[in-house]
Amino acid sequence: MQKAREHWSSHLGFILVAAGSAIGLGTLWKFPYVTGENGGGLFVIIYIACTFLIGLPVFIAELIIGRAAQRGAVGSFAFLSHNQTFWKGVGWLGVLSSFLIMSFYSVLAGWGMNYVFMSLTQFWEGRTPAEISQAFTILSSSGDITLFWHLAFTALTVAVVLPGIRQGIEYWSRFMTSSLFVILLGLVCYSFTLEGFGKAFNFLFSPDASRLTAKGVLQALGLSFFTLSLGQGIMITYGSYMRKSDNIPRTGVIIAVTITVISMLVGLMIFPIIFTFGFQPEEGLGLVFKTLPVLFSKLPGALIISTTFFILFVFTALTSSIALVEVVSANFIDLLGWSRRKAVLVVGISCFIFGIPSALSNTDLVFANWKLVYGKTFFSTIDELVSTWFLPLCGLLTAIYVGWFFDRKQVEHEYRSGTNTIRFFRPWIFFVKWVAPIAVITIILNTAGVINLDGGQKEVEQEMEVETVSRS
Ligand code: PHE
């Protein structure tokens, strides 16, 4: 017999926890850096479209699977599909993605912890933007320090997850998410006064097709899945803790809107710094760490503001990493009958070990030739593998499962339970059944080069560029 599951103490509690898991380094770190690399404008529009047209329907689908099955990701797929290996495999793919994300997430959050200390010692004071940017390069290539923080953050996550799902998490999520929002608003107001604000606004919101590649579209899709915590079994697991009276569609809309608003605020905070102080939008994964402190160095009260910001950075990472570790462990508890303690410890230690090459990816200490062979560091390889490929794939299969294989009556029953707005059921199921799968498959095929949606336009442009260069 399944033990009765714990449930969230209130609907608002659930929304805040789901938001806490969703708002994390995806919005604070990944959104600005991938947007910068993909030329802004059009990428941002596609990211928002993916969030609402594909991500949101899949988000609702995941919650429905979890609440209907009352199990973790793998258990839910197994239970609903009557143990079909393929669908269980989809659940495991999600679990694998969570594990892989956690392995590099803690490296990033670890850098954030280091930045808390740099803020406390007022490291930025009187430094030039170039020096501030250089500080990140030095930190990220210092294997010992990065490894230390990677360990510290993983241990912190394990320490929070060990005592049980709700204790502390709900409480802290409320406080931290709202504080983050307030501080972001304050920083955006300051960025507004910078001379580069206009340029940044244009960069972020005026579409320019020539700056976006096919791969960029898939990255936008992957980013929307990453920020909504989709394709990893997280929302399936969280759905299993929801009560029948909780409103699933409304929760989905609230989270999608919150994520979009926060991403835009982060963009409006970071890009004016880039255009005012001579950084490049394509700065790469260190973008946030290199640029934000420049703002802090100019602010009155920098000590308090920058310390608070990086503490919140670490906390939002923590509310996400808790979800990541929780979900992986929940499957071992459900399926292998492990004790909670054993599962969390094994998962925590494994994430730490697998994360070591990511922590050392800017040094020569392990896999020294990785970049030469694969063209990017170990860290970025894992990040890209999961964010760009695994998440969209898993989201696609989830949509296909709910749209085509899950008993329609049961889906409808689950959707309706807790909501009065049943008129959205039909459009939603249409999106899950048709729009999401077709869109995801098209984007994947386009990136893989099997179809070409640019109609050869990009190649022509590139050829013209080559010609111009060779002529001049
Ligand atoms: N959504 C989180 C973020 O944006 C990442 C995450 C994914 C967290 C999956 C939990 C689960 O940072």
Side-chain angles (χ1 to χ4, degrees), residues 318-330:
L318 189 64
T319 50
S320 301
S321 66
I322 290 167
L324 291 164
V325 170
E326 171 70 37
V327 158
V328 183
S329 316

Side-chain angles (χ1 to χ4, degrees), residues 21-27 101 105 226-230 232 234 320-321 323-324:
S21 124
I23 302 163
L25 303 186
T27 23
I101 291 185
Y105 213 78
F226 190 98
T227 51
L228 286 170
S229 308
L230 294 179
Q232 301 151 69
I234 306 267
S320 301
S321 66
L324 291 164

Side-chain angles (χ1 to χ4, degrees), residues 50 53-54 217-218 221 396 431 434-445 453:
C50 287
L53 302 181
I54 307 175
V217 179
L218 183 59
L221 176 69
L396 165 70
F431 269 79
W434 295 104
V435 179
I438 292 176
V440 176
I441 291 173
T442 313
I443 294 173
I444 289 181
L445 292 181
L453 291 183

Side-chain angles (χ1 to χ4, degrees), residues 334-443:
D334 280 359
L335 300 173
L336 305 180
W338 286 7
S339 70
R340 183 179 177 82
R341 197 181 158 74
K342 177 173 169 190
V344 174
L345 285 176
V346 168
V347 171
I349 293 171
S350 314
C351 285
F352 171 71
I353 294 175
F354 191 81
I356 293 176
S358 288
L360 302 180
S361 65
N362 289 330
T363 71
D364 287 339
L365 296 170
V366 284
F367 302 147
N369 291 328
W370 188 279
K371 198 168 175 182
L372 290 177
V373 177
Y374 296 101
K376 47 177 86 67
T377 60
F378 184 84
F379 182 116
S380 301
T381 310
I382 299 294
D383 179 12
E384 184 179 323
L385 185 70
V386 186
S387 316
T388 311
W389 296 99
F390 285 8
L391 301 187
L393 186 65
C394 203
L396 165 70
L397 294 169
T398 308
I400 291 182
Y401 183 76
V402 172
W404 296 89
F405 292 92
F406 199 170
D407 176 51
R408 174 66 75 91
K409 282 216 180 71
Q410 208 183 343
V411 176
E412 192 163 354
H413 170 76
E414 211 50 70
Y415 182 98
R416 284 166 175 245
S417 149
T419 177
N420 297 324
T421 46
I422 43 181
R423 63 175 180 283
F424 293 121
F425 177 73
R426 278 172 166 273
W428 168 73
I429 197 82
F430 176 76
F431 269 79
V432 170
K433 199 167 175 172
W434 295 104
V435 179
I438 292 176
V440 176
I441 291 173
T442 313
I443 294 173

